[in-house]
Amino acid sequence: MQIEGQVALITGGASGLGGASAKMWVDQGGLVLIADVNAALGEAFAHSLGPKARFISCDVSSESDAQAAVDAAKTMGSLSCLINCAGIGKAMKTVGKDGAHPLDHFIRVVNVNLIGSFNMLRLAAAAMVSNTPNAEGERGVIINTASMLSFFGGPLTPAYSASKGAIVQLTKSLAVAWADDGIRVNAIAPGWIETELTRGAREDPARSAAILARTPLKRWGKPDDIGGVVAH
């Protein structure tokens, strides 16, 4: 997809992978609507990107918030791209000194990471199908954020791993379902990136050292490493 002049809706776009993706999109001449629950951070970040960026407060697990975000993106032009970066997670044992893993935490993570992603992409796709196809027959692009933990077991991340594993299968299903409509659906599976989600691990010297020891580049990934991939 040629990014210049195209409108992208990016969830979790106020920081981290979403923020890096938003910056890359604008840098390449696109327009972006940043959707995030952190209004103060999102407003400031959108302002820093200039007139091609806007912000909307959005809880991806809310049907009304998601629809409002899609509608707002459409006021900027034809919605051509959705990048699902909104996500939460916390390292937690399934059975620990305080007992069993809290069920409400598992439900909340799945609700945001999986159901929230589906909520956004179903509404974005409904808007994209009416777009005029480009020369390649493409009407839109959807990029979901999975994780390396979609494929490898995470002993402290049962909820996160389950939600991200489901994202992979959801992406495969919809890529087939919407191919004839000209909507391309892909997923990225980042490793250990310097975001708020990994702060706890990065600030624990022993855990950080163990992670880097099995990381090929021997360093934490930067959000820009992934933002560049997403924007292409």
Side-chain angles (χ1 to χ4, degrees), residues 13-221:
S15 62
L17 302 185
S21 300
K23 184 177 185 304
M24 289 294 293
W25 196 271
V26 170
D27 286 348
Q28 294 186 36
L31 295 89
V32 66
L33 178 65
I34 295 165
D36 203 289
V37 293
N38 191 327
L41 184 62
E43 289 279 9
F45 182 56
H47 179 75
S48 73
L49 295 180
K52 291 186 177 180
R54 298 181 189 174
F55 171 79
I56 187 168
S57 181
C58 178
D59 175 352
V60 295
S61 65
S62 164
E63 184 168 6
S64 59
D65 277 14
Q67 186 63 65
V70 170
D71 291 343
K74 289 166 62 178
T75 67
M76 301 171 71
S78 297
L79 177 58
S80 299
C81 183
L82 168 70
I83 303 175
N84 269 322
C85 288
I88 60 173
K90 182 179 180 181
M92 189 179 296
K93 292 183 177 179
T94 309
V95 178
K97 63 180 181 181
D98 297 322
H101 188 294
L103 183 60
D104 59 350
H105 175 73
F106 191 97
I107 292 171
R108 175 61 177 158
V109 171
V110 171
N111 199 38
V112 172
N113 295 0
L114 175 59
I115 297 175
S117 292
F118 179 72
N119 188 32
M120 294 301 307
L121 65 82
R122 71 187 180 91
L123 297 173
M128 291 176 182
V129 293
S130 62
N131 289 345
T132 301
N134 63 19
E136 288 74 39
E138 194 167 75
R139 289 187 170 90
V141 175
I142 293 172
I143 302 171
N144 295 318
T145 303
S147 168
M148 65 174 183
L149 293 175
S150 304
F151 310 100
F152 304 103
L156 299 178
T157 58
Y160 187 82
S161 296
S163 68
K164 293 301 186 177
I167 287 291
V168 171
Q169 297 305 318
L170 177 63
T171 299
K172 290 180 178 180
S173 176
L174 296 179
V176 174
W178 291 337
D180 288 343
D181 294 309
I183 298 175
R184 180 159 49 89
V185 188
N186 287 305
I188 58 173
W192 293 99
I193 309 297
E194 291 183 350
T195 66
E196 191 60 33
L197 279 177
T198 63
R199 179 184 294 276
R202 287 185 286 113
E203 293 181 347
D204 181 330
R207 192 176 172 204
S208 180
I211 289 170
L212 294 181
R214 59 180 186 268
T215 300
L217 293 181
K218 306 303 180 186
R219 68 168 177 85
W220 289 86

